[in-house]
């Protein structure tokens, strides 16, 4: 029978910055099919902590409208949340409704 060995709570993870520049505190970190939020500066080649759970205010596409509970995606090219799934990373769901013209949205990640 398979066994699961407890490693950590999972609200935040140890994350190695494999890029060439520093990930800054509060930066959105794209991780294949998920996002996290840097809890500290993470130098290139070093480990740091990335939150993968919680509600965060994130920049979003100002021209879009969102409803509470709507699934949202992170566009890594433009560094914004969007309602467009294609070529983007699912980042969570809208915690608040958003009207057109607003450039930030509260998102439950995880």
């Amino acid at each position: 029978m398979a066994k699961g060995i407890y490693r950590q709570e999972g609200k935040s993870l140890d994350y190695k910055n494999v890029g060439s520049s520093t990930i800054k505190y509060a930066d959105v970190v794209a991780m294949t099919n998920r996002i996290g939020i840097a809890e500290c500066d993470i130098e290139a080649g070093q480990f740091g902590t990335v939150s993968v759970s919680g509600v965060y205010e994130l920049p979003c596409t100002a021209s879009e409208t969102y409803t509470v509970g709507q699934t949202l995606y992170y566009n890594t090219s433009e560094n914004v949340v969007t309602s467009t799934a294609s070529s983007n990373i699912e980042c969570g769901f809208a915690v608040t409704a958003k009207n057109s013209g607003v450039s930030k949205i509260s998102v439950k990640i995880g």
Side-chain angles (χ1 to χ4, degrees):
M1 176 175 286
K3 298 192 184 286
I5 308 300
Y6 181 84
R7 296 291 185 207
Q8 62 189 69
E9 188 173 358
K11 291 181 181 179
S12 55
L13 304 174
D14 297 329
Y15 179 81
K16 184 174 184 179
N17 179 357
V18 296
S20 59
S21 59
T22 300
I23 296 170
K24 298 290 190 182
Y25 168 76
D27 278 353
V28 175
V29 178
M31 300 180 290
T32 309
N33 294 318
R34 301 280 182 263
I35 67 161
I37 308 297
E39 292 185 4
C40 59
D41 289 353
I42 309 171
E43 299 291 330
Q46 301 300 309
F47 281 91
T49 305
V50 173
S51 174
V52 292
S53 179
V55 176
Y56 290 87
E57 183 179 87
L58 299 173
C60 63
T61 305
S63 61
E64 296 180 337
T65 60
Y66 310 136
T67 58
V68 175
Q70 182 177 351
T71 301
L72 298 172
Y73 304 86
Y74 189 73
N75 179 323
T76 58
S77 299
E78 297 182 28
N79 296 316
V80 294
V81 170
T82 179
S83 61
T84 303
S86 180
S87 300
N88 295 314
I89 300 170
E90 185 174 331
C91 65
F93 65 87
V95 174
T96 56
K98 184 192 93 61
N99 294 322
S100 181
V102 177
S103 62
K104 300 218 182 252
I105 182 69
S106 291
V107 178
K108 167 65 172 92
I109 68 168

